[in-house]
Amino acid sequence: MYLKVFQSTVLALTYLGLGLGYIPSLRLNRTGIALIGAGFTVALGVLNLKEAWLAIDPGIIIFLLSMMIVNAGLAGSGFFQLALVFLSRHTGSPFALLVALTFSSGFLSALFLNDTIAILFTPRTLTLTRSLGLNPIPYLLALAGATNLGSVATISGNPQNLVIGSFSGISYLAFAKALTPVALLSLLVQIGWLWWLYPEVRSLKPYESPLPITHRLFKPLLIKSLLVTVGLLTAFLAGFPLAESAWVAGSLLLLSRRVKTQRFLAAVDWNLLVMFAGLFIITEATQRLGLLNWFTGFIDTPAGLLGVTVLLSNLISNVPAVLVLQPLIPQQDTSAWLLLAAGSTLAGNLTLLGSVANLIVAEVASRQGYQLSFWDHLRFGLPLTLLTLVLAYFWLN
């Protein structure tokens, strides 16, 4: 009895640390917390080492790793820089820029992991708004919000969708058909809300030509990366297995006479992969101890499932929330899986701490002297999240 209480307390502290992103007085990030929590589940006898290893889903790890390699190819070739240059040249007013930035970052986030778009677009968005003499805050909010909203549309848009795709068996195309309208309507809601919040973005008056944004293209890698990406998306839509398709795509990019393997692997977020491995072990331990049982009574209705998802996503972060809830959802209940995907992703816009993409935008902006405060984001994110959650709920039900 006392051992189970101690084991449960350790897991509760682990989830608390994951929610905060740190543990006071210790220099730990979420990856370290997940790894330590997983280690303690073995040390305290909840799982043995073999069971902990088997709890890790290899398909999800392989998919994430491979998509990071594909993203590294596109980023290294200059594709994302080129996309932003295209924006700067083909938008003639502050409002047109807001619309273009929202839809382009949302679209790219649906195809690639949304955190990648946040990392690559934030510094270039700052450069663009600075050259045009525009207030960067509404455009940073547009970027942060759109990377979350756009990623709702596909299994490859964010890590929590990938987990849901893996456990539910929903095909890439079926997932996209169900949730793309939610993503598009949510992006329109975001544009309308930013138009209301920031009068300066309403202007349709043409601005002066921006200063040129420096960018370098590596054409051989750009062509190869685009061909591989198109092939990968075709494989997804055709119904080929996600992990295996992504693995082949990543392998093709690594086969190069011009680019060293180290360059691709240096762009891989190994912290995220290790964190996922730790989360799988923690979730398995949580199931073993029966700590999920009390959720069962709350998620037997769509509204209850959505409410619990949003609450957990903001308490312990969206990926751990999905991993905690997935054992409670029958595999054949497609509507529940889709609601879990929408709720866990849209909840990321609620606060600045709600998603990694938000934090990336705020941190990169801070390093360049621009403060995207918690309250700036809350004023934007709270109404946006409530509106888009209502939209998703009625669309899916």
Side-chain angles (χ1 to χ4, degrees), residues 217-233:
L217 291 180
F218 184 11
K219 289 186 179 179
L221 182 57
L222 177 62
I223 294 169
K224 183 179 180 181
S225 298
L226 288 174
L227 289 174
V228 167
T229 301
V230 170
L232 177 60
L233 295 175

Side-chain angles (χ1 to χ4, degrees), residues 378-392:
L378 186 65
R379 187 171 73 113
F380 158 76
L382 178 58
L384 176 66
T385 301
L386 294 177
L387 287 170
T388 54
L389 285 171
V390 169
L391 188 159

Side-chain angles (χ1 to χ4, degrees), residues 222-264:
L222 177 62
I223 294 169
K224 183 179 180 181
S225 298
L226 288 174
L227 289 174
V228 167
T229 301
V230 170
L232 177 60
L233 295 175
T234 303
F236 287 165
L237 295 174
F240 287 97
L242 298 179
E244 289 86 337
S245 301
W247 199 353
V248 170
S251 300
L252 289 173
L253 279 175
L254 291 177
L255 286 171
S256 176
R257 291 183 296 119
R258 292 185 174 91
V259 184
K260 292 181 179 180
T261 302
Q262 295 95 307
R263 181 172 173 181
F264 288 105

Side-chain angles (χ1 to χ4, degrees), residues 134-148:
L134 300 174
N135 175 14
I137 298 301
Y139 297 96
L140 292 174
L141 291 171
L143 175 61
T147 55
N148 291 317

Side-chain angles (χ1 to χ4, degrees), residues 196-325:
W196 176 264
L197 280 179
Y198 292 92
E200 64 264 39
V201 306
R202 303 174 191 173
S203 175
L204 299 175
K205 181 180 179 181
Y207 46 56
E208 297 180 5
S209 298
L211 298 173
I213 300 175
T214 58
H215 68 287
R216 296 176 61 186
L217 291 180
F218 184 11
K219 289 186 179 179
L221 182 57
L222 177 62
I223 294 169
K224 183 179 180 181
S225 298
L226 288 174
L227 289 174
V228 167
T229 301
V230 170
L232 177 60
L233 295 175
T234 303
F236 287 165
L237 295 174
F240 287 97
L242 298 179
E244 289 86 337
S245 301
W247 199 353
V248 170
S251 300
L252 289 173
L253 279 175
L254 291 177
L255 286 171
S256 176
R257 291 183 296 119
R258 292 185 174 91
V259 184
K260 292 181 179 180
T261 302
Q262 295 95 307
R263 181 172 173 181
F264 288 105
L265 297 183
V268 171
D269 189 346
W270 299 102
N271 270 276
L272 181 63
L273 298 180
V274 173
M275 184 182 77
F276 256 83
L279 288 175
F280 279 121
I281 297 169
I282 291 166
T283 305
E284 178 66 22
T286 305
Q287 289 178 248
R288 291 285 183 93
L289 293 174
L291 301 181
L292 304 180
N293 296 342
W294 72 281
F295 282 118
T296 307
F298 295 96
I299 66 168
D300 53 0
T301 64
L305 174 60
L306 187 63
V308 170
T309 300
V310 172
L311 177 64
L312 283 181
S313 294
N314 279 278
L315 287 177
I316 64 174
S317 191
N318 42 28
V319 174
V322 167
L323 286 170
V324 164
L325 293 174

Side-chain angles (χ1 to χ4, degrees), residues 149 182 185-186 189-190 192-193 346 350 380-394:
L149 299 177
V182 173
L185 290 171
S186 296
V189 169
Q190 173 178 288
W193 182 231
L346 296 175
L350 185 62
F380 158 76
L382 178 58
L384 176 66
T385 301
L386 294 177
L387 287 170
T388 54
L389 285 171
V390 169
L391 188 159
Y393 176 81
F394 285 105

